[in-house]
Amino acid sequence: MPEKYRNLHIKLTPQRLAILSYLNGNRTHPSAEDIYKAVQKQYPTMSFATVYNTLEALKEKGNIRELKLDSAKKRYDPDNTPHHHLICVKCNEIVDIHWAFELSLPDKTVQGFELIGNHIEFYGICRKCKK
Ligand code: ZN
Ligand code: MN
């Protein structure tokens, strides 16, 4: 079991472990449907509800991040370190941007918020879609 899942405090059934190992190191930002399709090959009896509920539990624990960058479906990101994203406007491919931008907001724009983070979305056309 990957180290980062050890302290999750959710019951780790073989099915849930299959979901976790599919997510571990996955850079494609899969949707619940993508994850369901992938783990079903190994566990044909796995239900979509199991996949979805596991994702929700992992999200609650802060272990994965839910992305709303794709208007068609929610996508999930197992990389919970701060990073930004580049999104293909044609095929919705989502690519990580690990770059520490120097960002600050002038006091007068903060409007009493306690700032806890930021996320930048870049839009473009990916290499595959450009052909
Ligand atoms: Zn594309
Ligand atoms: Mn990401």
Side-chain angles (χ1 to χ4, degrees), residues 88 91 126 129:
C88 176
C91 71
C126 75
C129 293

Side-chain angles (χ1 to χ4, degrees), residues 28-31 65-67 70 73-76 92 94:
T28 64
H29 307 92
S31 67
R65 182 154 88 148
E66 182 185 301
L67 301 176
D70 179 345
K73 56 206 167 163
K74 285 196 270 190
R75 308 265 292 256
Y76 296 90
N92 289 322
I94 301 174

Side-chain angles (χ1 to χ4, degrees), residues 81-129:
T81 64
H83 64 280
H84 308 281
H85 291 104
L86 180 59
I87 303 134
C88 176
V89 296
K90 299 218 171 195
C91 71
N92 289 322
E93 181 180 359
I94 301 174
V95 173
D96 292 332
I97 303 286
H98 280 279
W99 184 258
F101 294 95
E102 291 291 337
L103 289 171
S104 63
L105 288 176
D107 279 349
K108 64 178 180 190
T109 67
V110 174
Q111 299 170 73
F113 274 58
E114 181 191 337
L115 296 179
I116 54 171
N118 58 57
H119 174 242
I120 305 175
E121 299 171 16
F122 291 90
Y123 303 99
I125 297 163
C126 75
R127 224 182 291 176
K128 234 187 301 157
C129 293

Side-chain angles (χ1 to χ4, degrees), residues 46-66:
M46 170 112 60
S47 71
F48 182 75
T50 300
V51 173
Y52 191 79
N53 294 338
T54 301
L55 292 171
E56 287 298 301
L58 291 170
K59 189 180 82 183
E60 298 275 290
K61 304 276 182 196
N63 194 266
I64 62 174
R65 182 154 88 148
E66 182 185 301

Side-chain angles (χ1 to χ4, degrees), residues 14 18-19 21 37-45:
I19 296 168
S21 71
K37 267 184 226 151
V39 293
Q40 240 211 345
K41 287 179 193 145
Q42 201 185 345
Y43 290 95
T45 58

